[in-house]
Amino acid sequence: MGKLAESLDKAVEGTFTRPVPKSAGAQMRYLVRQLKGTRPVADLLGISQRTVERYVKDQLKQPRKSLATRMDREVRKRWQPQIRARAKKQAATTGGIVLDTRARFGYTAAPGTTDDARLRHITQALPPQYAARLFDAQEQGAPEQQLLDIAAEGLQEIYFKDRGRRAQGLLVEFTDIDYIEVDL
């Protein structure tokens, strides 16, 4: 998973109304309820069914690091789906997103202007149409580069072109990302 996809997930997780289960037993019990059995959880996590049962009964409490990471990722992916959907819908219809990034942007500009890539720190609100495109692409399993292209297009239109008021022939792309964060 890339930086932008992770940031989109964190932004949506910020809208959760209840904390995500933290202990191994609570996470395992949640996954068993969601997947309706210990066998599907064992297959999902790559462990034995008996190990899943031991975590459910709190006979095992400290998973190894790789298993703890997989459990946390799977629980977060399934936690509060209605809250997650509501937050995405609001961002995609009325709210939009705020993109905060420090990145190097490459330019394709009109003749006589500079097209050297420059490192910039930009915090820009993007309208709902770009939020909708980002969330739709993420749900369809788009690669990180496609998500970055959508974000770069949004910054190009809103920040660099000022909604079509200047720099008509300018094309912008991310070439190197230091960090990127999304807020709803």
Side-chain angles (χ1 to χ4, degrees), residues 3 8 13 17 19 25 35-36 41 62 67 70 78 82-83 92 95 97-98 100 105 127 133 141 163 167 174 183:
K3 292 179 181 181
L8 285 169
E13 287 175 11
T17 58
L35 298 176
K36 297 178 178 39
V41 174
Q62 295 294 324
L67 177 59
R70 288 193 310 265
R78 291 167 175 77
Q82 293 173 336
I83 302 292
I97 60 173
V98 176
D100 180 26
F105 291 92
R133 287 179 55 198
R163 298 183 190 263
F174 281 111
D183 194 21

Side-chain angles (χ1 to χ4, degrees), residues 103-107 114-120 173-176:
R104 191 170 304 278
F105 291 92
Y107 306 97
T114 181
D115 59 355
D116 292 337
R118 297 189 311 200
L119 189 65
R120 291 180 182 240
E173 65 181 22
F174 281 111
T175 55
D176 184 30

Side-chain angles (χ1 to χ4, degrees), residues 3 10 26 28 39 57 70 81 99 101 109 125 128 133 140 150-151 156:
K3 292 179 181 181
K10 282 183 184 176
M28 200 61 81
R39 172 54 57 196
K57 293 178 183 176
R70 288 193 310 265
L99 191 66
T101 184
R133 287 179 55 198
Q140 293 171 3
I150 294 169
Q156 168 187 302

Side-chain angles (χ1 to χ4, degrees), residues 1-8 97 99-106 126 130 133-135 137-138 142-156 160 172-182:
M1 187 181 297
K3 292 179 181 181
L4 183 54
E6 286 177 14
S7 184
L8 285 169
I97 60 173
L99 191 66
D100 180 26
T101 184
R102 181 172 169 198
R104 191 170 304 278
F105 291 92
L126 296 180
Y130 292 105
R133 287 179 55 198
L134 279 169
F135 286 128
Q138 184 185 28
E144 179 72 5
Q145 188 57 48
Q146 185 177 350
L147 296 175
L148 289 174
D149 290 344
I150 294 169
E153 181 184 333
L155 288 174
Q156 168 187 302
F160 291 101
V172 176
E173 65 181 22
F174 281 111
T175 55
D176 184 30
I177 299 173
D178 186 19
Y179 76 90
I180 188 165
E181 292 181 12
V182 176

Side-chain angles (χ1 to χ4, degrees), residues 44-110:
L44 176 71
L45 298 174
I47 57 177
S48 72
Q49 185 174 358
R50 182 69 184 126
T51 302
V52 171
E53 292 167 358
R54 286 181 181 141
Y55 278 111
V56 168
K57 293 178 183 176
D58 280 329
Q59 292 173 343
L60 293 176
K61 296 180 188 260
Q62 295 294 324
R64 46 183 205 281
K65 187 170 181 151
S66 61
L67 177 59
T69 303
R70 288 193 310 265
M71 283 173 32
D72 187 57
R73 183 182 62 236
E74 294 300 329
V75 167
R76 286 183 183 280
K77 193 188 307 183
R78 291 167 175 77
W79 188 250
Q80 292 192 329
Q82 293 173 336
I83 302 292
R84 182 184 305 270
R86 187 180 320 134
K88 287 180 180 182
K89 182 180 178 186
Q90 182 179 1
T93 56
T94 58
I97 60 173
V98 176
L99 191 66
D100 180 26
T101 184
R102 181 172 169 198
R104 191 170 304 278
F105 291 92
Y107 306 97
T108 304

